[in-house]
Structure formats: structure tokens, C-alpha cells
């Protein structure tokens, strides 16, 4: 029987609460108020998670505001609900982080992430299994914290940048963990050979989603010398294979990140990494028009970041031509035609990334203009989509009305994309159907899924 104080709530919400022995009316009022918030996605799921977390805390030591955090996160995401039930203490940690972040500039969050990554490497130096477990916990805990910020109205540009920094932290930590172990078993490269991970796509533009693959290019400085019995190339192949596996391997804690290396020279048929000279030869001889678009969003994310200046020396003339080259537009249109054909085969509901007028078309519009005019105007080369769109307006290549409409659409679609991916931490871009659509819509301030789809 449902207690009178919960009787006005739907039974699926009231039942888990009725089984709790809440310490006083203040707790009851807080729980009911949090669950009645119209922006809570799935209030029944939130109630079940709240009951599970409070059941693990019989003394009710949760600080003020943590109850609301549990409801917000679990209401928006089944993935978040499972994590909070498995790690009840994380709710309190996220609450302390949220309180400490009030009034703090978003730019202060990035260095804190890198400090956490460095500490993780130190604490698990001799144990790869422990390193990978701790890395996944770091990723999941920080993704929950970032999700809460976004649910509470943080600028999506800030949260996407934080997710991108989190991926960079994971890549750097994996490099720092595996290189000393490889040197210990194989020997150090001699002469010294620097290495670099270049972020491409959304990682390069600091626009990462909650469930994005991270597109990377693995590079090392030269092919001179050896590392024990290994050539320089063999040493770095082993290093980057271990980095990729450490992030991508599916464990009982999930993955850290899915790593995609298919934008490298020759794609999946080419070696996993290239020396700088090898990369230069490839782009001089075989570089295809669509590969120029790949480099528009490139930035150094891990390893010796200064090595990127040397990379840019020979890549920039390949990407940004002094003369206007319409072949790049043909390349972009060819990619778009393949995407449209794939969408027709899938036949799903509206896809905010690949659908007509969606995220990908906005990105292609911006990148085509950058490639056409960026050779003569370096102002047009920012890697981020919105920064580049603003630069195109300042340069007179796009008018203010078009810039505003494209930016508003891009931010709206990205917000929807994030909410859809948060549900199950799954790489999807299509609007859901049924009750799940209603839950996603409520987290965005809409009454139901039909209102959001409209």
C-alpha cells in the first residue's frame, strides 16, 4: 500500500519511495519536489535509483543537494542510474564538485582533469589492469559530472570542450603508462624519438559528444636508429596499439573511449602510425581532396605537443591552397552523397547528425568555405565549427542572418544529440520513440516527444 504522503505521485514513482524509511519530513519534501520537477526525464527510474542509493546509506549522510543530483542524472539516463547504484559515493563526490565549481571559470576545469590523469598513472604504474580499471572509473565519474552541468544549463560549448579534454587526458595517461613499460622490455629508441597524437574530427575541434568515437592520428618523429631489436617504426606501432587497446577494450567497467584510427593515410589498410617524413610523402603523392577536410579540425592532444608545429609545416599547404580549388567541394559533396545513401538504407527516424539540415550538413557547409577561402585568409582556420562560422561572418563570407541560424540549429541539434546519447551511453543520433522520447524531451524543457520532434 502506498503511503498517503506519496499517493499523489504515479505508482511507479511512489512505490520505491514508500519502501524507504526517510528520516524526517524535510527529506520527504525534498524527494517529492525533485521527482515532480517537469524536467526530470524518467521519474520512475529516478525514484528507483534514489531508493537504491539511500538504501546503501542507512545513516542518511548524503549532503544537501545530492538527492536532487541523483534524481536529475538517473531521470535523464539509465546509464547514469546504473553507475550511481554501483557507486553510491560518486553522488556525493559529484555534489562536492558541483558546489566547488560555482563561480569558477570553466577554463579552470581542464588543468584539474590533467592532474587527475597524472595521479592515476602514478598510482597504477606497475599494473596495467588496475590502470585500465581506474581510467574507466575516471571517465565515467567525470562524464556524470559533465552531464549534470549540461542538464543544469551549462553552455554546450563548455561541456563538449570538457569531454574533449577528458579524452585527451585518457590518451596522455595511456601513453605515460605504456611507454615506460615498453622501454623496460624492448629498450628506449636511440636516437631519441618524440611522438604525438593528433586529434581529428570532434576531438580536434573540442566538440566531443558523450558517446563519440575519438578520431586520432598517431605520429612519431623519425625512422632513424632502433629501440633494442625493434626499429623505430616497430616500437611505435607497439606503443600505439597498446594505447588504443587500453582505451577501447570492453571490460566490466565499460570502455574509456572507442578509438578510431581510420582517418590515417591509407585508412584501415595502412600502418597504425607514421613518421613525419612518411606522412609528408603520403600527402605530397597520394593525398585525396576529402583528406584535406580531415585536417581542418586537427590539433595536438597528447605526447610532444610541440611536434605539431613541424607537422603543420608540410600539412598546411596541402590543406589550404593559395588558389581556389573546387575539387574540395566535389570531395565534400561525394562524402555527403554517401551519407545520404546510407541514411536511406537505414530508414530510421530523424537523425540529428546525418539527417537533412542536420549537424553534418552544417559542418560540411563551414568546412567547404574554410577550404575554399582559408588558403588566402588564415582567419578562417579555427578548428571548432562555431568559431569558424563566426570567422566566416567577420570575413564577409557568410552574412549575419545565416551565421545565426546555422549556429542556433547546430547548438540545438547537439543538445538533442547529447540527451539521446546519455540515455544508454550509446553512439546514436536518431530521435527515440515512445516513452523514451518523452523522457528525452522533458530534459530539454519540452512536454513530450511529439513536441520535441515538431
Amino acid at each position: 500500500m502506498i503511503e498517503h504522503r506519496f499517493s499523489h505521485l504515479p505508482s511507479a514513482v511512489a512505490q520505491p519511495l514508500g519502501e524507504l524509511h526517510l528520516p524526517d519530513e524535510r527529506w520527504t519534501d525534498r524527494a517529492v519536489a525533485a521527482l515532480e520537477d517537469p524536467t526530470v526525464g524518467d521519474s520512475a527510474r529516478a525514484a528507483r535509483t534514489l531508493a537504491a542509493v539511500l538504501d546503501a546509506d542507512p545513516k542518511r549522510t548524503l549532503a544537501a543537494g545530492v538527492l536532487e543530483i541523483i534524481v536529475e542524472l538517473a531521470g535523464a539516463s539509465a546509464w547514469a542510474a546504473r553507475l550511481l547504484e554501483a557507486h553510491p559515493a560518486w553522488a556525493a563526490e559529484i555534489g562536492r564538485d558541483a558546489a566547488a565549481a560555482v563561480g569558477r571559470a570553466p577554463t579552470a576545469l581542464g588543468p584539474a582533469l590533467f592532474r587527475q590523469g597524472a595521479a592515476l598513472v602514478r598510482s597504477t604504474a606497475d599494473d596495467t589492469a588496475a590502470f585500465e580499471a581506474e581510467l574507466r572509473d575516471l571517465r565515467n565519474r567525470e562524464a556524470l559530472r559533465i552531464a549534470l552541468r549540461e542538464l543544469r544549463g551549462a553552455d554546450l560549448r563548455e561541456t563538449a570542450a570538457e569531454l574533449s579534454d577528458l579524452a585527451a587526458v585518457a590518451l596522455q595517461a595511456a601513453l605515460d603508462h605504456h611507454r615506460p613499460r615498453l622501454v623496460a622490455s624492448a629498450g628506449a629508441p636511440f636516437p631519441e624519438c618524440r611522438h604525438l597524437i593528433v586529434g581529428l574530427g570532434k576531438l580536434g575541434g573540442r566538440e566531443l559528444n558523450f558517446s563519440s568515437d575519438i578520431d586520432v592520428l598517431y605520429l612519431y618523429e623519425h625512422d632513424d636508429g632502433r629501440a633494442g631489436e625493434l626499429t623505430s617504426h616497430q616500437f611505435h606501432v607497439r606503443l600505439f596499439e597498446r594505447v588504443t587497446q587500453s582505451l577501447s577494450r570492453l571490460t566490466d567497467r565499460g570502455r574509456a573511449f572507442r578509438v578510431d584510427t581510420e582517418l590515417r593515410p591509407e585508412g584501415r589498410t595502412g600502418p597504425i602510425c607514421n613518421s613525419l617524413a612518411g606522412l609528408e610523402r603520403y600527402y605530397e603523392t597520394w593525398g585525396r581532396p576529402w583528406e584535406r577536410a580531415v585536417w581542418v579540425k586537427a590539433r595536438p592532444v597528447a605526447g610532444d605537443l610541440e611536434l605539431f608545429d613541424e607537422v603543420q609545416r608540410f600539412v598546411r599547404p596541402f590543406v589550404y591552397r593559395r588558389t581556389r580549388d573546387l575539387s574540395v567541394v566535389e570531395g565534400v559533396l561525394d562524402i555527403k552523397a554517401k551519407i545520404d545513401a546510407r541514411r536511406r538504407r537505414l530508414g530510421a527516424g530523424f537523425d540529428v547528425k546525418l539527417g537533412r539540415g542536420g549537424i553534418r550538413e552544417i559542418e560540411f557547409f563551414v568546412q567547404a568555405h574554410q577550404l575554399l577561402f582559408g588558403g588566402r585568409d588564415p582567419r578562417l582556420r579555427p578548428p571548432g565549427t562555431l568559431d569558424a562560422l563566426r570567422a566566416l561572418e567577420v570575413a564577409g563570407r557568410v552574412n549575419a542572418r545565416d551565421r545565426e541560424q546555422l549556429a542556433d540549429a547546430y547548438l540545438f541539434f547537439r543538445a538533442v544529440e547529447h540527451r539521446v546519447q546519455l540515455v544508454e551511453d550509446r553512439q546514436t543520433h536518431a530521435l527515440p520513440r515512445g516513452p523514451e522520447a518523452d523522457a528525452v524531451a522533458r530534459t530539454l524543457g519540452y512536454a513530450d516527444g511529439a513536441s520535441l520532434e515538431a
Side-chain angles (χ1 to χ4, degrees):
M1 182 175 177
I2 296 174
E3 293 184 40
H4 175 70
R5 56 183 172 169
F6 302 133
S7 60
H8 67 291
L9 298 171
S11 60
V13 179
Q15 191 65 46
L17 294 180
E19 297 172 359
L20 285 172
H21 298 290
L22 294 170
D24 54 43
E25 288 300 317
R26 183 175 57 87
W27 276 82
T28 302
D29 292 344
R30 285 173 53 201
V32 171
L35 290 163
E36 287 185 323
D37 188 321
T39 64
V40 171
D42 186 331
S43 55
R45 182 174 63 218
R48 291 192 300 271
T49 302
L50 180 61
V53 175
L54 290 176
D55 189 52
D57 180 36
K59 294 183 179 180
R60 305 294 184 259
T61 60
L62 293 179
V66 175
L67 182 151
E68 289 80 6
I69 287 171
I70 295 167
V71 170
E72 287 178 81
L73 286 170
S77 168
W79 162 78
R82 290 192 296 272
L83 283 177
L84 291 171
E85 290 175 23
H87 305 278
W90 285 6
E93 290 182 36
I94 292 166
R96 287 194 296 271
D97 289 344
V102 173
R104 185 171 60 185
T107 52
L109 297 168
L113 280 177
F114 281 93
R115 287 193 295 271
Q116 289 184 67
L120 188 156
V121 172
R122 290 192 299 271
S123 66
T124 58
D126 299 319
D127 189 338
T128 295
F131 166 76
E132 292 182 355
E134 291 292 329
L135 184 64
R136 281 152 180 75
D137 282 351
L138 173 65
R139 181 265 174 186
N140 288 332
R141 191 171 59 248
E142 287 299 309
L144 285 178
R145 179 185 60 76
I146 296 166
L148 180 68
R149 276 173 38 73
E150 191 162 309
L151 288 167
R152 291 185 168 183
D155 191 316
L156 186 139
R157 285 166 286 199
E158 293 176 10
T159 56
E162 282 189 63
L163 289 166
S164 303
D165 288 346
L166 182 58
V169 165
L171 287 163
Q172 186 64 59
L175 273 178
D176 291 343
H177 175 80
H178 286 292
R179 191 178 188 282
R181 297 172 69 82
L182 182 57
V183 166
S185 62
F190 183 82
E192 181 181 351
C193 186
R194 297 178 292 167
H195 52 264
L196 171 68
I197 301 179
V198 177
L200 306 171
K202 282 186 165 58
L203 175 60
R206 294 188 83 215
E207 301 166 334
L208 212 60
N209 298 330
F210 280 99
S211 300
S212 288
D213 290 350
I214 54 174
D215 295 303
V216 299
L217 185 69
Y218 294 136
L219 299 173
Y220 60 97
E221 190 173 11
H222 57 73
D223 285 307
D224 300 336
R226 304 185 69 83
E229 295 183 358
L230 302 179
T231 65
S232 181
H233 179 72
Q234 290 169 333
F235 177 91
H236 287 95
V237 165
R238 293 191 186 184
L239 173 61
F240 290 126
E241 284 178 343
R242 294 182 185 186
V243 168
T244 301
Q245 291 164 5
S246 260
L247 270 62
S248 298
R249 186 181 289 115
L250 185 61
T251 73
D252 59 351
R253 285 175 162 87
R255 293 184 177 88
F257 290 93
R258 289 180 298 269
V259 180
D260 189 336
T261 62
E262 292 191 12
L263 295 179
R264 66 187 188 268
E266 301 179 71
R268 66 181 63 182
T269 63
I272 192 172
C273 58
N274 289 267
S275 67
L276 299 196
L279 190 73
E280 183 173 12
R281 284 194 300 271
Y282 174 81
Y283 288 127
E284 284 181 346
T285 308
W286 303 106
R288 291 161 289 184
W290 69 265
E291 288 179 296
R292 292 170 56 191
V294 166
W295 280 88
V296 169
K297 287 190 175 184
R299 69 182 177 94
V301 294
D304 191 318
L305 304 186
E306 293 181 357
L307 198 58
F308 191 67
D309 292 337
E310 179 64 17
V311 176
Q312 286 284 70
R313 179 188 60 78
F314 59 82
V315 168
R316 190 177 289 116
F318 165 71
V319 177
Y320 294 108
R321 306 289 173 84
R322 297 290 294 174
T323 56
R324 193 174 302 175
D325 181 2
L326 293 178
S327 69
V328 69
V329 178
E330 295 170 359
V332 168
L333 290 174
D334 182 56
I335 298 170
K336 184 64 177 66
K338 292 175 181 176
I339 289 173
D340 289 344
R342 178 168 172 260
R343 285 290 310 134
R344 285 192 292 271
R345 289 196 301 273
L346 292 175
F350 183 70
D351 188 304
V352 295
K353 178 181 179 181
L354 304 180
R356 184 173 177 82
I359 293 167
R360 184 63 82 219
E361 287 197 353
I362 296 170
E363 291 175 335
F364 282 168
F365 174 89
V366 173
Q367 289 172 13
H369 280 76
Q370 287 180 280
L371 290 167
L372 277 174
F373 304 111
R376 289 184 175 273
D377 191 347
R379 295 177 300 170
L380 304 183
R381 300 175 187 176
T385 300
L386 294 176
D387 289 341
L389 195 51
R390 175 68 72 181
L392 288 168
E393 180 192 0
V394 170
R397 298 295 180 182
V398 174
N399 65 46
R401 178 175 175 274
D402 287 346
R403 197 275 311 162
E404 183 176 355
Q405 287 187 337
L406 288 167
D408 288 348
Y410 179 82
L411 287 170
F412 174 73
F413 284 141
R414 290 296 308 276
V416 174
E417 181 182 48
H418 278 201
R419 294 298 198 278
V420 169
Q421 292 188 355
L422 264 180
V423 174
E424 284 290 356
D425 190 26
R426 187 164 60 88
Q427 191 180 33
T428 180
H429 314 280
L431 292 180
R433 300 294 184 190
E436 188 178 299
D438 295 337
V440 168
R442 284 192 288 271
T443 68
L444 288 161
Y446 292 88
D448 51 37
S451 302
L452 172 59
E453 186 158 0

